[in-house]
Amino acid sequence: MSGVMDFNVKRLAADAGTLFSRAVQFTEEKFGQAEKTELDAHLDNLLTRAETTKHWTEKILKQTEVLLQPNPNVRIEEFLYEKLDKKVPTRMNNHELLGQSMIDSGNEFGPGTAYGNALIKCGETEKQIGGAERELIQSSAINFLTPFRNFLEGDFKTILKERKLLQNKRLDLDAAKTKLKKAKMADARALAEQDLKMTQSEFDRQAEITRLLLEGINSTHAHHLRCLNDFVEAQMTYYAQCYQYMVDLQKQLGNFPSAFSSNNNQSTASGAASISVPILPLSGPLPANTANASSGFTELQNFSGSRKARVLYDYDAAGSNELSLLADEVIMVSSVPGMDSDWLMGERGNQKGKVPITYLELLN
């Protein structure tokens, strides 16, 4: 027991002596009072390259996380769940929240109305985009963020550890050189030369270990390049899905009548009060006799008098000067001087108001 304790005491004393000599060497180097062994140019370049790789990997990782999750509070919450090794609670993203609001409001206004139906269609598409965004985040986390994070928390920490050991071996080597210079007696010089030989060997061995690790940065770059390709492919898939969803939505909504662009531009340019615009329904065929109906409307607008017209689609009046319509009902319509060409005056019993011609079919 006594022998073990003596060995431990001697070992602690040796370690303390080594730490002290390193501290002295480091301090003297800082004040220019001792020489410093420089690393060879190749090893120095490898160290610089590793630091550069670490710097930009951290920056790209951080900005990608911001891109995929812009909310900093949510990022912090997800980080804490990850550290606690707990599952992150599922929450709706912004597209899904917007989609749900649109669907709820569409149901409130009525799925049978043009506006309500459009809101529901838009809401469903927003939720599809939200699902695609969720897939993008999941794919990017697995194939892009995780490999980058593994490099910073694994390979680079190993490099830092070995680089610190190399720094210590270099300080030991330079301390041994300084000790040899100061040795005067033959015995002291012989001991210093033996110490220098040992520290030189340990330094060379550690430099080789560090060099091999640093040369592995080439493999890291090759791996990160593959991860980058995966990330680009995931984004390409996401944006292609979003584009297709919007194209499909546009087809469902149909084309707006020409009055939309002209009325909208006029109200924007003049700053006047908003003009209600007739919107085509989301589904259902257009009447086959569109050309005949158009000529009939033109004739009606050019001459006084009234005609019967069948309502093609439901229409919700946007103001007190308009008349709400029900599909398949028959009303009387007439032209009023100065009225926009896309509107007629409609009458149903004692009710009267503007009606959009795109919702009407003139009867003989």
Side-chain angles (χ1 to χ4, degrees), residues 109-136:
F109 291 131
T113 65
Y115 184 45
N117 200 348
L119 281 169
I120 292 173
K121 297 291 185 184
C122 290
E124 291 171 347
T125 300
E126 289 294 340
K127 294 187 78 170
Q128 285 181 309
I129 293 175
E133 181 182 286
R134 199 178 294 279
E135 292 176 4
L136 169 66

Side-chain angles (χ1 to χ4, degrees), residues 11-24:
R11 184 175 179 181
L12 289 172
D15 290 343
T18 301
L19 291 174
F20 178 75
S21 64
R22 287 173 183 170
V24 171

